[in-house]
Amino acid sequence: MIDDITRIAAAAPALIAGANSVDELRAVEADLLGKKGELTLLKKGMGGLDPEGRKVAGSALNDARDSIEAVLAVRRSDLESAERASMVATEQLDLTELLGTPERGSLHLVTQTWDRLVDVFIGMGFTVAEGPEVETDWYNFEALNIPAAHPARGMWDTLYVDLGDPETVLLRTHTSPVQIRVMTDGEPPIYAVMPGRVYRRDTADASHMPVFHQIEGLVVDRNISFADLAGTLEAFTSAYFGGSIHSRLRPSYFPFTEPSAEYDINCVFCEGNGCRTCGQTGWLELGGCGMVHPTVLSNVGLDPEEWSGFAFGFGLDRLALMRHGVDDIREMYTGDVRFLEQFPS
Amino acid sequence: MKVLLSWLQEFAPFPGDDPVALGDVMSDLGMAVESIERIGEGLDGIVTVKVLELRTHPDADKIQLVDVDLGDGEALQICCGATNLTVGDVVPLATLGTTMPDGMEIARRKMRGEWSNGMLCSGRELALGEDHSGIYILDPSLALGLPIVEALGITPDVLFDLEINPNRPDAMSVAGVARDLAARLGLPFAIPAPNVDELAGDASSITSVDIIDPDLCGLFHIRVIDGIKIEPSPRWIADRLSALGMRPINNVVDASNYVMLELGQPNHTYDLAKMPGGALRVRWARDGETITTLDGVERNLTGGRDGVIVDASDSAIGIAGVMGGASTEISETTTTVLLECAWWQPMAIARSSKFMGLRSEASARFERGVDPAIVDLAARRLAELLAPSGARLVEGSVTVNGELAPTPAVRVRTSRVNQLLGTDISTEQIISLLTPLGFVCELGGEDDVLSVTVPTFRPDTTNETDVIEEIARHYGYSKIVGRAPTSAHTGSLTPIQRDRRSIRQILVGLGIHEAMPLPFLAPGDLARCGLPPEAVTVTNPLAAEESILRTSLRPGLLRAIAYNESHRTDGVSLFELGKVFALPPSGETLPDEREHLAVALAGRDATAAANVWALLARTLGLNDVVIDQSAPPAGLHPGRSGVLRRGGAQLGEIGEIDPGVLDALGLHERVAWLQLDIGVALAAPHGEHRYHHISRYPSSDLDLAFEVDNAVPAASIEAAVRSAAGPLLVTVSLFDVFRGNPVPDGRRSLAYRLRLQAPDRTLTDEDIGGVQRSVVKALDALGATLRG
């Protein structure tokens, strides 16, 4: 029996080496070590031996098995490597040969700008408030210290709708009515921004649309001052436009703020050196701002001696156009996919 | 408002060396400089020439050949397109090498074969006004070859174009701008007293005034000017008016305009000869009253809205504060005028001019509020300007008062100033900032509280905050140091704002582009899309296409798809998140305004929309919303659409656009459609994704195919599977749908894969068999039979 074991063990390496594929090797392995393999059969024959003989034979069998398995493992690894190599050699792909790349959609430029602005203001501790697009005269004008027949109403070309008494319900001309709603519905301290869609009776051209977007900010708290307004806008300016862009405030007039100011930033195209876009001034007019008018605070039931606040607002569409160099605002609103897909993020 | 540097300098010694720096100060004071124009610059090389001969161009109808003499007797040929030349005219010639004010260089050029040795200039080409109707004809007695600057006596000047805010009535005059600027620069400001020599007489015996409606007119001041001789104004007056954008007419009209521009007091001159009795009355107009104004237009007046000045016979001779009437207009024969300087109620003039659609330089000033204290100064200044022509004021005047609010004294607290501005300005500093502006500051009994009397030319300033704005303006906004509010406050998005971002990210990830069509529709748009036509209408739309507020996002997105199809882009996928407006519920004023999400997938069938919805519903956790195809929404494909429902509430619609609607809109592709009222859908609790324990034991899959009637929705089958499979079910998915032989007509095979797993053990064959038996039994109740 020992002889048989020795013979099998000696013959095995040649048999294993003769296998030329993993499949062939599997067959050789079955012949040698499988359930009907020679070593297994010998093992079954050990029952006829005496205990000493069984021990010797068992030990020899185990040794033979170990050595065969070691040889098998080496050969298997070699064959597998070879097979992988030949498979890989036939599996070349040209990664520029693409069919049907999955498409990603795009957020509208207004949404992208909206989110970017809102994110900066959230970082500065502002909440985000919204309100209806169709408003009453009270929220859009009266409460904001713009009584009927006030010459300042000429600052907004208003679209009215056929509801209620004539010229009492309108498409909001600015996001400022949301300020009134925020102050009426809530309590100070208020730190809120109000992005939204607004309407003007305007014919569409390269820089105007009857429908566009604004974002306003409102702060009402104790001891809020013009200096807080200046500081807040400066912080926003550098956060949104970059650290090299600064803000300035110039006296202006709005019925709902006093003192009122124009909010300018360094021209983002020439960084303040003067170029065609900024008319050589180095500055871009961004929007308006000021201290909330005492009459507005009174209109919403806040005591102007106890509370003070500031508000600011500017157009959102223009920022979107500026960032991407779009020269005609109408392009944003046709729904032309050739436009939309240019701005995947 | 335009102002000339030289004119400003009549009121304060402003430096002339750096107009840009001066403009920066004006801007910093809130009088934004829109442009600065240097008059008399850029005219080097333009000289006087005499027209010697005019010849037709042999080869061009619209060009004349002009021979001109520069003073050397030689004829120089110029090609010229203007037709207002006659032989002997003296005109300006831009000689070769000249750079024109607009930057154009003059070179020797051939025009249709004829040489042009320079360019004859119009007023506009010389930047001397707007006239471009012909060549600027000069005084024929001028020497030839003279530089134009010398010939016209142009003194270099600077023209500032300022944007004046509505709360700055004082800055609607040259003197007012000068006052503000002088105060900031610390320069002495004074309005020179007019030097007039009055004619003995008594104006009050010549004219009379009666203010019938004192709520219309606060003050009516009238003077008589005699010895009028109508002639052209002196050059300097005409030039200044032209520079500020007003056309010179004659000495009387020009003097009137000059005073308005200089002092901010609009005024009116009546030809006394055309006013029998010289009596004037002031009252509100009556309905049906008409007047022909100076511009020759007959206008209908509205009672109680428009104010009128009437003569002795009670006929209107002027619209109060807006425009004079033609019947008393100054003419060549005028010898005596009544000069009116009045103060009109600003709101009345604003209303009148707005509703009449008639805006004038006068109404623009009256509606902001003019200074009631300068009527006498203005009248004498006008007389002073007219004196060289021989006109003189008759002694005496008629002044009648109506209702005029007294100038208020405002209590100004230094502490409030600093609290509102975030500054540390002293009371003394406040006094020194306000005093040069004409505010009179008095220290009251309290410490650091001023009693500030507002000057009559600042009617906009009536309370403490108004005064604080003036303090801030003259202190300088740029000197207020920014800081950030110090109280604790946190920012965040609301749940719906976060959900919107999720929705957008999901849709973008699915390859869908966000569009923003305008929310306006044209009449018929809703009907064409299969929607009810009831909608909120716009009262004053600019175009019929923008006269209706959308009740659905459908028309806008379908139009965008049509736009893309017409530009050869098929298969477009668009979504929109936006407001829609339904008529107000009864008792409400505002429309029922809702926020909708809509998805339109061109070239795709309804299942594409259903897949988008499945993904949205799963991500947002809207598990309880079902698709109900029993009553397909109007305008959607009846066999391929349904409503999205949660309990009894309809949240949206889903499916495919009706082929009839596609045809009506000229769309050639199918369009899969999804619309969701996100306000309602997201208002209920949702999106609470609870953790489910993941078993560590092996799972088993059970594939079951059922034959089911077409009428039974797959969703019902799946729901039955879920409920029958019990707690061992991990997932169930439909992996095959088959119609056709051997499945009978009207039925289809639905194959589901159930993944089963126990939390605490390996499943046995018995477990799996049990699930299969209960699922088969449950589905039997729905008429679904297990296929072999």
Side-chain angles (χ1 to χ4, degrees):
Chain A
M1 183 166 233
I2 297 298
D3 291 346
D4 285 342
I5 293 168
T6 310
R7 175 181 54 74
I8 291 166
L15 287 170
I16 289 167
N20 286 318
S21 71
V22 175
D23 284 345
E24 283 180 35
L25 186 66
R26 203 169 288 124
V28 171
E29 184 178 1
D31 288 345
L32 292 169
L33 306 176
K35 283 183 185 174
K36 293 178 178 167
E38 290 181 85
L39 283 181
T40 312
L41 295 176
L42 283 174
K43 193 175 180 182
K44 284 178 180 164
M46 280 196 328
L49 298 178
D50 56 29
E52 185 55 28
R54 221 165 26 226
K55 193 178 162 190
V56 170
S59 163
L61 264 174
N62 283 342
D63 288 349
R65 196 172 184 95
D66 287 350
S67 73
I68 290 168
E69 275 177 353
V71 178
L72 272 169
V74 170
R75 182 62 182 161
R76 190 182 300 115
S77 167
D78 288 350
L79 286 171
E80 281 171 356
S81 299
E83 285 185 16
R84 264 199 307 274
S86 75
M87 180 184 78
V88 165
T90 61
E91 275 191 343
Q92 289 188 13
L93 279 181
D94 175 355
L95 300 187
T96 63
E97 203 179 78
L98 298 181
L99 292 171
T101 305
E103 276 184 48
R104 188 175 154 82
S106 55
L107 293 179
H108 196 272
L109 275 191
V110 166
T111 301
Q112 294 186 27
T113 309
W114 177 308
D115 287 350
R116 225 175 244 139
L117 289 167
V118 159
D119 287 346
V120 170
F121 284 115
I122 286 175
M124 292 169 67
F126 285 72
T127 57
V128 185
E130 296 166 24
E133 294 176 14
V134 178
E135 273 289 11
T136 60
D137 186 80
W138 165 258
Y139 284 103
N140 197 75
F141 288 128
E142 290 272 345
L144 290 159
N145 196 29
I146 318 166
H150 191 289
R153 284 221 178 171
M155 293 164 81
W156 299 274
D157 290 322
T158 309
L159 285 166
Y160 292 93
V161 298
D162 300 319
L163 293 175
D165 293 331
E167 302 206 348
T168 57
V169 183
L170 46 82
L171 287 154
R172 66 178 179 193
T173 57
H174 43 196
T175 39
S176 310
V178 188
Q179 289 187 25
I180 301 299
R181 289 182 179 276
V182 167
M183 288 189 283
T184 307
D185 300 345
E187 297 276 312
I190 293 166
Y191 291 80
V193 288
M194 291 144 277
R197 173 175 284 182
V198 298
Y199 299 77
R200 298 277 168 89
R201 192 166 184 270
D202 236 341
T203 305
D205 63 26
S207 51
H208 296 88
M209 283 297 281
V211 180
F212 56 101
H213 302 80
Q214 287 184 337
I215 185 165
E216 286 195 27
L218 173 70
V219 168
V220 181
D221 204 343
R222 290 192 166 84
N223 291 313
I224 291 296
S225 72
F226 196 89
D228 294 314
L229 166 62
T232 300
L233 285 178
E234 177 63 20
F236 163 75
T237 303
S238 50
Y240 186 84
F241 296 100
S244 60
I245 303 296
H246 299 282
S247 60
R248 77 168 178 192
L249 303 182
R250 280 184 296 118
S252 187
Y253 171 78
F254 305 104
F256 32 85
T257 50
E258 190 168 35
S260 298
E262 294 290 333
Y263 161 40
D264 297 346
I265 60 165
N266 288 131
C267 177
V268 294
F269 299 100
C270 61
E271 301 213 332
N273 296 319
C275 67
R276 272 187 50 175
T277 307
C278 61
Q280 306 303 330
T281 61
W283 293 93
L284 294 177
E285 280 186 31
L286 211 63
C289 61
M291 301 303 294
V292 179
H293 199 285
T295 305
V296 175
L297 292 173
S298 302
N299 283 343
V300 295
L302 293 174
D303 178 0
E305 287 290 312
E306 183 182 0
W307 302 102
S308 58
F310 63 76
F312 57 85
F314 48 87
L316 197 152
D317 300 64
R318 186 158 148 254
L319 295 184
L321 302 179
M322 264 163 51
R323 180 178 285 266
H324 298 281
V326 181
D327 55 11
D328 191 331
I329 188 174
R330 289 168 295 194
E331 295 271 13
M332 291 207 294
Y333 295 101
T334 59
D336 190 331
V337 166
R338 295 169 302 177
F339 177 85
L340 300 174
E341 69 189 4
Q342 292 183 36
F343 314 102
S345 68
Chain B
M1 177 77 199
K2 290 182 177 173
V3 293
L4 281 167
L5 177 59
S6 66
W7 206 339
L8 291 171
Q9 284 168 331
E10 292 182 9
F11 301 95
F14 297 114
D17 53 344
D18 192 349
V20 173
L22 206 58
D24 286 347
V25 178
M26 295 187 219
S27 288
D28 198 45
L29 285 169
M31 303 180 290
V33 176
E34 300 199 312
S35 68
I36 297 179
E37 191 185 312
R38 287 159 210 258
I39 292 172
E41 272 190 18
L43 297 177
D44 295 348
I46 300 173
V47 299
T48 55
V49 296
K50 177 176 275 182
V51 177
L52 294 176
E53 196 185 342
L54 294 164
R55 290 172 285 125
T56 51
H57 190 292
D59 209 18
D61 294 343
K62 295 196 173 159
I63 303 175
Q64 277 193 104
L65 301 179
V66 187
D67 285 342
V68 298
D69 176 10
L70 277 90
D72 56 7
E74 299 275 321
L76 187 68
Q77 177 175 298
I78 311 291
C79 294
C80 180
T83 54
N84 65 326
L85 296 174
T86 47
V87 171
D89 281 345
V90 173
V91 291
L93 172 74
T95 54
L96 299 180
T98 302
T99 304
M100 299 300 290
D102 69 357
M104 183 176 72
E105 285 212 25
I106 304 298
R108 189 162 186 259
R109 276 194 303 169
K110 229 174 196 176
M111 295 172 83
R112 292 263 179 134
E114 291 288 339
W115 283 108
S116 186
N117 297 292
M119 184 180 81
L120 300 176
C121 308
S122 70
R124 192 164 82 196
E125 282 160 342
L126 296 175
L128 292 177
E130 289 306 307
D131 190 8
H132 194 55
S133 60
I135 300 303
Y136 194 97
I137 309 288
L138 299 162
D139 181 346
S141 64
L142 282 169
L144 303 184
L146 205 59
I148 190 76
V149 174
E150 213 174 300
L152 290 174
I154 297 172
T155 32
D157 209 335
V158 184
L159 181 68
F160 298 92
D161 190 358
L162 307 178
E163 189 190 336
I164 304 297
N165 290 315
N167 65 331
R168 291 296 309 282
D170 64 302
M172 292 295 281
S173 67
V174 178
V177 172
R179 182 191 292 113
D180 211 34
L181 197 54
R184 167 61 78 84
L185 297 174
L187 297 171
F189 167 85
I191 299 178
N195 177 17
V196 286
D197 173 23
E198 300 194 358
L199 208 59
D202 180 11
S204 65
S205 67
I206 300 170
T207 181
S208 66
V209 176
D210 187 6
I211 299 179
I212 294 169
D213 292 315
D215 57 337
L216 166 66
C217 181
L219 179 67
F220 202 100
H221 176 77
I222 201 144
R223 300 281 322 238
V224 178
I225 306 177
D226 207 354
I228 296 284
K229 184 167 147 259
I230 301 296
E231 59 185 28
S233 289
R235 259 292 301 282
W236 67 274
I237 291 183
D239 283 352
R240 281 191 169 176
L241 292 181
S242 301
L244 268 66
M246 297 198 89
R247 199 162 52 90
I249 313 271
N250 61 45
N251 54 343
V252 175
V253 174
D254 294 352
S256 169
N257 285 331
Y258 190 97
V259 167
M260 175 180 67
L261 295 173
E262 180 174 79
L263 300 174
Q265 173 67 58
N267 54 84
H268 187 68
T269 50
Y270 302 87
D271 186 342
L272 183 63
K274 296 174 183 171
M275 298 182 55
L280 293 164
R281 285 190 299 154
V282 176
R283 60 165 170 80
W284 291 109
R286 300 186 195 106
D287 281 335
E289 209 163 3
T290 62
I291 182 173
T292 302
T293 40
L294 282 173
D295 51 8
V297 179
E298 182 172 335
R299 299 177 187 274
N300 297 311
L301 301 172
T302 300
R305 186 195 71 188
D306 305 318
V308 284
I309 300 112
V310 297
D311 62 12
S313 65
D314 204 36
S315 22
I317 55 172
I319 305 176
V322 180
M323 195 176 278
S327 66
T328 56
E329 187 178 0
I330 304 299
S331 71
E332 294 298 325
T333 59
T334 303
T335 56
T336 311
V337 301
L338 295 185
L339 169 63
E340 164 203 319
C341 294
W343 187 96
W344 304 102
Q345 199 58 245
M347 286 295 229
I349 304 308
R351 209 163 47 227
S352 187
S353 114
K354 180 187 167 193
F355 288 105
M356 221 175 318
L358 180 60
R359 302 191 62 80
S360 62
E361 291 283 339
S363 71
R365 286 169 175 78
F366 282 126
E367 69 179 34
R368 294 175 193 223
V370 302
D371 182 358
I374 60 161
V375 289
D376 173 60
L377 171 71
R380 286 186 295 115
R381 175 62 168 149
L382 193 148
E384 182 184 43
L385 292 170
L386 276 180
S389 70
R392 288 169 72 190
L393 273 180
V394 175
E395 280 178 349
S397 66
V398 177
T399 306
V400 180
N401 285 301
E403 286 171 17
L404 199 57
T407 50
V410 179
R411 190 166 172 269
V412 176
R413 296 161 292 171
T414 302
S415 59
R416 180 67 174 169
V417 172
N418 289 314
Q419 184 194 28
L420 213 54
L421 299 182
T423 48
D424 191 17
I425 304 175
S426 68
T427 307
E428 290 65 37
Q429 224 175 333
I430 290 173
I431 296 172
S432 66
L433 288 169
L434 288 176
T435 305
L437 294 174
F439 291 78
V440 178
C441 303
E442 286 168 294
L443 276 162
E446 301 165 83
D447 281 352
D448 292 323
V449 177
L450 290 170
S451 172
V452 176
T453 306
V454 177
T456 50
F457 48 83
R458 291 307 303 271
D460 58 290
T461 305
T462 59
N463 59 43
E464 189 180 32
T465 317
D466 294 336
V467 177
I468 291 173
E469 181 170 63
E470 287 307 293
I471 296 167
R473 217 165 53 78
H474 275 268
Y475 178 75
Y477 281 18
S478 54
K479 276 162 60 185
I480 298 174
V481 180
R483 64 179 191 212
T486 48
S487 85
H489 50 278
T490 53
S492 63
L493 292 176
T494 61
I496 187 144
Q497 289 164 352
R498 273 199 301 275
D499 280 342
R500 268 190 219 130
R501 287 195 175 182
S502 303
I503 290 170
R504 287 191 161 104
Q505 287 304 335
I506 293 164
L507 296 175
V508 165
L510 289 171
I512 309 172
H513 297 281
E514 184 180 20
M516 283 192 189
L518 297 196
F520 296 124
L521 301 179
D525 279 355
L526 288 166
R528 260 191 297 282
C529 291
L531 294 161
E534 292 78 25
V536 177
T537 50
V538 178
T539 312
N540 55 339
L542 275 178
E545 293 71 44
E546 297 171 359
S547 62
I548 291 170
L549 294 189
R550 63 184 178 190
T551 57
S552 162
L553 301 181
R554 205 192 282 169
L557 279 186
L558 292 183
R559 182 160 49 195
I561 293 208
Y563 180 93
N564 281 289
E565 280 190 354
S566 71
H567 291 83
R568 304 188 62 244
T569 314
D570 286 350
V572 163
S573 299
L574 298 176
F575 77 92
E576 180 182 10
L577 266 169
K579 293 286 188 71
V580 298
F581 311 85
L583 289 170
S586 73
E588 301 277 327
T589 313
L590 292 182
D592 183 5
E593 187 170 325
R594 287 158 183 265
E595 185 174 16
H596 279 187
L597 163 70
V599 180
L601 310 170
R604 313 276 294 281
D605 70 25
T607 58
N611 275 323
V612 169
W613 165 244
L615 209 59
L616 279 174
R618 221 188 70 198
T619 314
L620 295 168
L622 296 168
N623 307 318
D624 49 355
V625 180
V626 297
I627 297 175
D628 175 0
Q629 286 188 247
S630 62
L636 298 191
H637 191 305
R640 296 183 164 199
S641 306
V643 297
L644 295 170
R645 201 180 282 293
R646 178 163 55 203
Q650 187 175 323
L651 303 186
E653 55 190 38
I654 186 166
E656 211 172 294
I657 301 295
D658 189 285
V661 171
L662 298 178
D663 283 349
L665 298 175
L667 288 160
H668 62 250
E669 301 169 280
R670 286 180 183 282
V671 178
W673 178 253
L674 165 67
Q675 183 188 298
L676 181 69
D677 183 330
I678 68 163
V680 177
L682 301 175
H686 64 276
E688 198 198 353
H689 300 287
R690 298 283 303 173
Y691 168 67
H692 293 288
H693 179 75
I694 299 164
S695 171
R696 286 179 287 113
Y697 293 89
S699 61
S700 300
D701 288 348
L702 173 63
D703 289 357
L704 298 172
F706 296 94
E707 201 185 287
V708 197
D709 255 17
N710 283 339
V712 180
S716 326
I717 301 294
E718 189 181 313
V721 169
R722 279 185 192 285
S723 119
L728 295 182
L729 183 72
V730 181
T731 58
V732 57
S733 53
L734 178 67
F735 70 88
D736 187 49
V737 181
F738 175 75
R739 285 184 176 82
N741 197 27
V743 181
D745 273 0
R747 287 169 75 80
R748 80 282 204 201
S749 160
L750 300 172
Y752 292 89
R753 173 162 298 159
L754 288 69
R755 173 152 293 185
L756 306 173
Q757 196 175 23
D760 52 355
R761 61 197 162 85
T762 302
L763 293 178
T764 62
D765 288 350
E766 186 48 40
D767 289 327
I768 296 163
V771 168
Q772 176 164 348
R773 276 190 303 280
S774 51
V775 167
V776 168
K777 189 177 166 205
L779 264 56
D780 189 53
L782 292 170
T785 52
L786 183 68
R787 302 183 70 216

